[in-house]
Amino acid sequence: MTSQQIIEALIARDEQTTQQFFFKDCRPLFLSIIRYVFSYEVDYDEFVNEFYIYLMENDAYRLRQYQGRSTIYQWMKVVAIRYFIAKRDSMIDMAPKNSLSDSVVQRERVDVERSMMAKMDVEYLLSRMPNRRYAYVIRRLVLQEADPMVVAQELETNVDNLYNIKKRAIAALTEVALKEVEKYEKGVIK
């Protein structure tokens, strides 16, 4: 089945597809999200049931938001992480504050989560860049903070030219990001 066919079957509440997708195909993905989002063990069936209810609310509004710009699994991963982090944080906010160290730990978790989401977003944008060399330069110089001399040698160029490539690469990345924002806004407004 294609991603779009899976989405349509889920919206139609096809029991066989729903069972296969949530309890077999997505099991490794969801188990990794459970480990990442929750510092304690969460029952897999409860996790799936909660997420399924969320996806199906308002005549499957969230499922209908899938536009096929990424794999269905990557889309599910982002939606699930965002939902369960928000849910967990609201549950933590309702809990009594025991000590200053609890708030420090919570802040550190939020920072890690934001960092992970930012990395996913940047990787997605880099994957959308048509010029692979530009993506490589941004990845090496900006994200990995590699030495410019080393990167210049890797690309068989000089450092001055590398900085020119970096400047063009950042401009190209900005263009890709703006196009993605525009697509997203059009998709949300529909």
Side-chain angles (χ1 to χ4, degrees):
M1 288 182 105
T2 67
S3 294
Q4 201 57 49
Q5 288 171 326
I6 292 170
I7 291 289
E8 289 168 11
L10 293 175
I11 291 170
R13 298 175 192 270
D14 178 283
E15 191 173 327
Q16 184 179 358
T17 302
T18 301
Q19 282 292 326
Q20 175 70 33
F21 184 72
F22 285 105
F23 291 94
K24 291 188 178 131
D25 299 344
C26 287
R27 189 173 185 85
L29 169 68
F30 289 159
L31 287 173
S32 72
I33 292 170
I34 289 170
R35 276 193 305 275
Y36 171 74
V37 173
F38 299 100
S39 58
Y40 53 90
E41 190 62 34
V42 174
D43 182 68
Y44 183 81
D45 290 350
E46 286 181 33
F47 174 92
V48 169
N49 289 337
E50 176 78 25
F51 189 51
Y52 180 76
I53 289 168
Y54 173 72
L55 292 172
M56 297 304 286
E57 285 176 347
N58 300 322
D59 191 32
Y61 172 78
R62 285 171 193 85
L63 285 175
R64 294 177 196 280
Q65 296 301 304
Y66 177 73
Q67 297 176 350
R69 291 185 289 178
S70 62
T71 69
I72 191 170
Y73 301 103
Q74 183 168 4
W75 184 82
M76 282 285 172
K77 179 180 180 180
V78 171
V79 172
I81 288 173
R82 288 181 179 163
Y83 172 66
F84 284 107
I85 285 174
K87 184 170 181 62
R88 185 202 60 206
D89 289 348
S90 69
M91 291 168 58
I92 290 171
D93 287 345
M94 293 185 319
K97 301 291 183 212
N98 292 336
S99 68
L100 182 61
S101 65
D102 288 345
S103 64
V104 170
V105 168
Q106 177 60 23
R107 235 178 297 135
E108 288 174 356
R109 282 187 188 150
V110 169
D111 289 345
V112 167
E113 291 158 4
R114 285 183 181 152
S115 174
M116 189 198 92
M117 293 304 295
K119 285 178 184 176
M120 286 174 57
D121 290 343
V122 169
E123 281 302 322
Y124 173 75
L125 292 174
L126 289 173
S127 74
R128 306 295 288 175
M129 290 182 71
N131 188 321
R132 303 313 308 151
R133 186 174 184 165
Y134 286 176
Y136 179 82
V137 167
I138 290 173
R139 205 175 266 113
R140 292 288 286 138
L141 287 180
V142 179
L143 301 178
Q144 297 171 359
E145 297 179 1
D147 182 83
M149 193 71 130
V150 172
V151 177
Q153 289 173 347
E154 292 170 356
L155 295 175
E156 298 177 357
T157 188
N158 61 46
V159 174
D160 290 336
N161 192 36
L162 179 64
Y163 284 119
N164 288 332
I165 294 169
K166 178 184 172 188
K167 181 179 176 181
R168 291 191 303 270
I170 290 174
L173 179 62
T174 302
E175 187 177 320
V176 167
L178 290 173
K179 285 181 183 176
E180 288 300 313
V181 167
E182 187 178 309
K183 283 185 203 173
Y184 176 77
E185 288 174 347
K186 285 181 181 177
V188 169
I189 293 171
K190 286 181 183 176

